[in-house]
Amino acid sequence: MNVVCLGATKGMGRALARAMAERGDALFLLGRDDDDLKRSARDLEVRGAQGTVHTAYCDLGDSETFSAALVDAERALGTVDTVVVTAGQFAPQDDLEEDAPRLREMLAVNFTNTVLFCERARKTALKSGGTLCVFSSVAGERGRTPVVLYGASKAGLTRYLEGLDHRYRRAGLRVVTVKPGFVRTSMTDGLPAPPFAGEPDQVARIVLRAIDRGTPVVYAPGPWRHIMAIVRALPRSFMRRASF
Amino acid sequence: MSQRSTISGWGGHSVEGCEIRAENLSAAANGAALSRGLGRSYGDSSLPPDDCPIALNTTLADRILEFDQATGRLRAEAGLSLADMNRLLMPRGWFTPVSPGTQYVTLGGMVAADIHGKNQHLAGNFGHHVTKLRMQVADGRILECDSEQHADLFFGTIGGMGLTGHILEVECALERIPSPWIWQETQRIPNIDEFQVALEEAAPQWPYTVGWIDCVSRGSALGRGILMCGRWATADEAPKRVPPRRLRPRLTFDFPGWALGPWTVRAFNELYFRKQWRPTLRGIVHPESFFYPLDVLREWHRMYGTRGFTQYQCVLPHTDESGARKTGSARRVLDVLTTLGGASFLAVIKDFGQNGVGVLSFPRPGITLALDIPIRANTQALIDALNQVVIEEGGRIYLAKDSFTRRRDFERMDSRVHDFNALRDTWDPQRRFRSAQSVRLLGDLPRTNQADLGGHP
């Protein structure tokens, strides 16, 4: 499998890229920090990635960088089977409410630019079909008091990915929407971990299976599917008073 | 972003504090009193001091940066775990030149504690095989050091318990192995004195040797046990398959305090000794059962209940100052242990063949004993008494295990502490890097002026 990864240097993206490398997939890494990308590339090569792992500059904060990066990836890999987007931003609700530029950036990165990147990938690297795997979040399932703004950005992303899957699956584009629950990464470092908090490696195994099978929506770790089924069914009057 | 909570050593000793986890260590290091890996050191050496309760957790910085399949040279970020290294590189014919008794340790931790293993008599410590380190020192600079460049920092960091700076990257030489399986021979040994002899006799014949001793038995059977010797199986002897992954259940609760009372300890020791039903057994074994028997039960330390336990490990020289051969030193330690009732569930004996290269490395030629001691009301008195024997025998203790030794006792057994502190005066005069242990043992002052803590460049 030939895979383009945006966000493979950290967290769940790193774990997923490693799981792919260990089974011999060919990888191409996109990101902002060239030195950091190269370090991850060497790591993935030692772990078993096929051939040399190349990298290109791509900033999810700047949609002008998408085209060239995807062209580079296509040139290096030949054909692209899968594009994975794990990059995104998180900040606590209170911080986002106080800091308008940061809020604008978070909304742009998590929604607008992720959508623009996916559109670009759909039209170029995945024009003859393949898998687009994008990390959204369980935070987008309901409007919840501690994650109103972050949740909204992910809710929008989830709906876009759902529509994309409905519109293009018959044409050969498989869209896999990943909804991680709480996962212990540097992004969540310092937040109190709820029950069923997961590890990135665990998420990677689940997501890789979903990519292989073309599962349209996947919750990770597993129990979050059931937790979110309950949360989705809760009445608004309850959600208004709930602190989660 | 960080959350105040409890940080514990493996034995259960804990402090209030928080850990920062980040992929990029140097960017996150600001304000942390020391780095910490997987937290397998038993005592307080990986715990930050009370007045600066922040530790930099390295486990997310775990990338392999270079590996040469032809020579076995490895360079990786400090948080890479030995378990990951083994999983990836053992099937390709490479293994760590020195392995501790658990694979849930990080490269950085292996350097900081200058860990030793079953092949200490032959291969020395892990530090003997480290060729380069990348460090972030107290003034914020990031430096490469090795035996020529900043050699004092290099040798101070090996075995330096993280007190010389943040270890960011480690470069080391791995060992080529003919197969990933172990040929093991185990032998019943009747008492402690015979054990010392048996270990010495096995040393030239086997790359890996270690003994388990029953320290509940007394009198003539004191220190009876089982000697385990091993070597890598040749390609012909070994099964053709890669060693399968083993199930590792997790102990999810603390045992009640009475569970490890004198009777259960006695029964366990008796059964373990009887398990060896013939004087000698030999055959091919799984590398994990040979190197990491305790990893089978994750979080096994919870057997010791909420009070936890401490491990006491010392090394006693083979010879006295004049070079004359000494005998009975290990017996003296066990005598004190059994007299004061410190029933030890697990006790390990091993001969050391050489000194470490680090300023403060633990090993030296002699015999080492490692004893698990459940924490009870008299534990402090027991450790004090054991330390008296070690001082009289000219030995020393292992900092990665300790949480009870008193500073004056430590200084009497290890005069190198002055050299080590002199080195820290050069690299870290303000003592930005400290641990709960360094405040207890190395004379670091708990800093009262919090304003000092800011301004890390």
Side-chain angles (χ1 to χ4, degrees):
Chain A
M1 192 163 82
N2 296 346
V3 189
V4 182
C5 302
L6 174 56
T9 57
K10 287 191 167 66
M12 290 181 274
R14 177 186 285 188
L16 180 58
R18 282 178 172 176
M20 289 170 162
E22 284 182 33
R23 64 179 206 178
D25 290 339
L27 299 164
F28 190 97
L29 310 186
L30 305 180
R32 277 179 300 182
D33 181 338
D34 187 51
D35 179 53
D36 200 37
L37 285 170
K38 293 221 160 71
R39 291 163 73 91
S40 280
R42 300 295 85 78
D43 179 59
L44 294 167
E45 285 164 4
V46 175
R47 285 168 192 265
Q50 193 192 99
T52 307
V53 177
H54 293 288
T55 65
Y57 179 78
C58 181
D59 179 1
L60 205 43
D62 177 6
S63 58
E64 299 296 314
T65 62
F66 300 167
S67 254
L70 285 161
V71 167
D72 279 358
E74 232 181 321
R75 194 177 300 143
L77 291 172
T79 58
V80 175
D81 303 305
T82 302
V83 175
V84 179
V85 184
T86 50
Q89 268 188 16
F90 175 82
Q93 177 70 13
D94 292 342
D95 297 8
L96 292 169
E97 285 180 4
E98 294 305 311
D99 187 344
R102 194 167 172 192
L103 170 60
R104 183 172 297 121
E105 189 189 322
M106 187 279 291
L107 292 172
V109 165
N110 285 2
F111 181 71
T112 313
N113 289 352
T114 301
V115 171
L116 292 174
F117 180 85
C118 291
E119 287 296 296
R120 200 68 236 157
R122 177 173 69 75
K123 289 175 187 161
T124 57
L126 297 172
K127 60 183 173 294
S128 45
T131 303
L132 176 64
C133 172
V134 184
F135 278 52
S136 185
S137 170
V138 295
E141 301 282 276
R142 282 301 292 270
R144 293 190 287 122
T145 50
V147 284
V148 174
L149 296 161
Y150 174 77
S153 74
K154 291 296 191 182
L157 180 62
T158 299
R159 283 299 158 263
Y160 161 73
L161 294 167
E162 184 186 0
L164 201 63
D165 182 56
H166 295 162
R167 188 172 166 92
Y168 292 107
R169 180 157 291 237
R170 248 170 296 166
L173 179 70
R174 306 197 299 180
V175 180
V176 175
T177 305
V178 183
K179 298 180 184 176
F182 190 98
V183 180
R184 290 190 190 88
T185 63
S186 55
M187 194 179 91
T188 58
D189 186 39
L191 301 176
F196 305 108
E199 296 294 332
D201 287 340
Q202 201 183 350
V203 173
R205 278 194 300 274
I206 294 168
V207 173
L208 193 53
R209 200 171 55 217
I211 290 173
D212 289 343
R213 295 179 179 173
T215 314
V217 177
V218 59
Y219 290 84
W224 287 89
R225 166 179 296 280
H226 308 294
I227 296 168
M228 294 322 292
I230 295 166
V231 171
R232 277 197 305 274
L234 293 170
R236 284 184 77 117
S237 57
F238 181 87
M239 290 303 288
R240 203 171 288 143
R241 277 171 288 145
S243 61
F244 59 84
Chain B
M1 218 181 335
S2 50
Q3 178 199 4
R4 258 190 109 77
S5 59
T6 307
I7 311 179
S8 309
W10 190 242
H13 188 99
S14 65
V15 296
E16 285 290 307
C18 66
E19 284 182 81
I20 302 168
R21 282 156 44 101
E23 283 92 355
N24 185 343
L25 295 180
S26 58
N30 195 358
L34 82 164
S35 286
R36 166 170 218 261
L38 283 159
R40 254 35 174 215
S41 60
Y42 289 72
D44 52 5
S45 54
S46 75
L47 307 181
D50 287 340
D51 60 289
C52 179
I54 303 169
L56 176 63
N57 182 307
T58 63
T59 53
L60 294 183
D62 64 345
R63 287 180 290 197
I64 299 172
L65 303 172
E66 262 178 84
F67 176 66
D68 186 335
Q69 175 63 29
T71 62
R73 201 175 63 92
L74 174 83
R75 186 183 176 104
E77 293 173 333
L80 179 70
S81 75
L82 180 57
D84 238 15
M85 254 167 78
N86 288 343
R87 185 173 56 82
L88 292 165
L89 303 178
M90 255 168 102
R92 302 184 204 173
W94 293 99
F95 187 64
T96 177
V98 171
S99 177
T102 168
Q103 55 180 339
Y104 299 111
V105 290
T106 61
L107 269 181
M110 289 164 77
V111 173
D114 195 15
I115 56 96
H116 57 270
K118 297 175 173 56
N119 59 354
Q120 210 285 343
H121 60 282
L122 208 75
N125 307 341
F126 188 66
H128 284 96
H129 309 271
V130 173
T131 46
K132 210 182 257 293
L133 296 171
R134 190 175 177 82
M135 311 261 317
Q136 183 166 29
V137 292
D139 63 12
R141 274 182 301 161
I142 293 175
L143 300 171
E144 295 266 330
C145 63
D146 56 30
S147 59
E148 284 163 10
Q149 193 182 8
H150 303 306
D152 59 335
L153 179 65
F154 181 71
F155 293 115
T157 302
I158 293 173
M161 307 310 290
L163 298 169
T164 54
H166 296 294
I167 302 173
L168 304 176
E169 291 170 20
V170 177
E171 190 183 283
C172 61
L174 301 189
E175 185 199 349
R176 192 97 174 111
I177 53 174
S179 82
W181 294 87
I182 290 287
W183 172 268
Q184 175 184 262
E185 192 174 297
T186 58
Q187 212 181 321
R188 238 173 15 209
I189 307 290
N191 62 54
I192 188 70
D193 299 321
E194 300 244 353
F195 229 125
Q196 275 184 269
V197 176
L199 275 165
E200 273 177 60
E201 282 174 358
Q205 299 164 43
W206 295 90
Y208 298 106
T209 62
V210 71
W212 161 82
I213 47 179
D214 164 6
C215 31
V216 181
S217 299
R218 300 191 183 200
S220 62
L222 179 80
R224 67 176 183 171
I226 294 167
L227 174 68
M228 285 162 255
C229 302
R231 61 170 170 78
W232 292 101
T234 62
D236 297 336
E237 292 166 339
K240 293 297 162 251
R241 64 206 162 96
V242 171
R245 288 192 83 155
R246 304 202 311 165
L247 275 182
R248 295 198 199 91
R250 186 187 293 273
L251 189 57
T252 54
F253 59 94
D254 294 314
F255 273 23
W258 47 263
L260 280 196
W263 291 103
T264 40
V265 171
R266 189 175 298 274
F268 170 83
N269 277 278
E270 190 66 36
L271 278 172
Y272 199 92
F273 189 70
R274 297 283 164 211
K275 191 184 79 154
Q276 172 92 15
W277 50 281
R278 268 201 300 217
T280 307
L281 293 173
R282 40 177 86 84
I284 301 278
V285 294
H286 195 292
E288 286 180 18
S289 82
F290 184 74
F291 287 108
Y292 316 116
L294 293 175
D295 285 350
V296 164
L297 189 62
R298 285 190 289 175
E299 300 191 25
W300 57 265
H301 59 134
R302 301 184 75 173
M303 280 193 313
Y304 286 96
T306 48
R307 276 188 290 185
F309 73 109
T310 184
Q311 193 171 76
Y312 185 81
Q313 184 170 358
C314 60
V315 57
L316 309 162
H318 287 312
T319 54
D320 64 20
E321 277 136 36
S322 61
R325 184 109 196 119
K326 300 214 294 189
T327 51
S329 48
R331 177 176 285 273
R332 285 188 66 198
V333 170
L334 291 190
D335 273 334
V336 169
L337 181 78
T338 48
T339 311
L340 292 180
S344 179
F345 193 57
L346 259 172
V348 170
I349 187 167
K350 163 77 194 144
D351 58 322
F352 281 161
Q354 50 193 308
N355 284 299
V357 293
V359 176
L360 216 50
S361 293
F362 163 63
R364 57 167 297 159
I367 192 92
T368 184
L369 286 164
L371 316 163
D372 275 10
I373 299 169
I375 290 177
R376 299 287 180 262
N378 72 340
T379 303
Q380 181 67 57
L382 172 61
I383 302 295
D384 287 344
L386 290 168
N387 280 338
Q388 276 319 306
V389 178
V390 171
I391 292 165
E392 284 162 27
E393 293 288 338
R396 59 190 180 223
I397 57 150
Y398 190 13
L399 290 176
K401 308 284 176 85
D402 184 62
S403 49
F404 281 92
T405 295
R406 297 174 199 271
R407 184 179 166 197
R408 58 153 208 277
D409 286 345
F410 183 66
E411 284 179 350
R412 281 164 73 196
M413 61 177 86
D414 208 335
S415 59
R416 301 174 306 168
V417 64
H418 304 294
D419 303 334
F420 185 67
N421 275 338
L423 184 129
R424 293 170 77 206
D425 288 340
T426 310
W427 288 97
D428 181 16
Q430 290 170 298
R431 298 289 191 267
R432 287 187 188 282
F433 296 107
R434 288 170 305 141
S435 63
Q437 184 172 68
S438 80
V439 169
R440 178 169 59 84
L441 280 184
L442 303 187
D444 289 356
L445 298 173
R447 205 164 5 189
T448 46
N449 183 0
Q450 290 288 321
D452 279 3
L453 297 172
H456 192 304

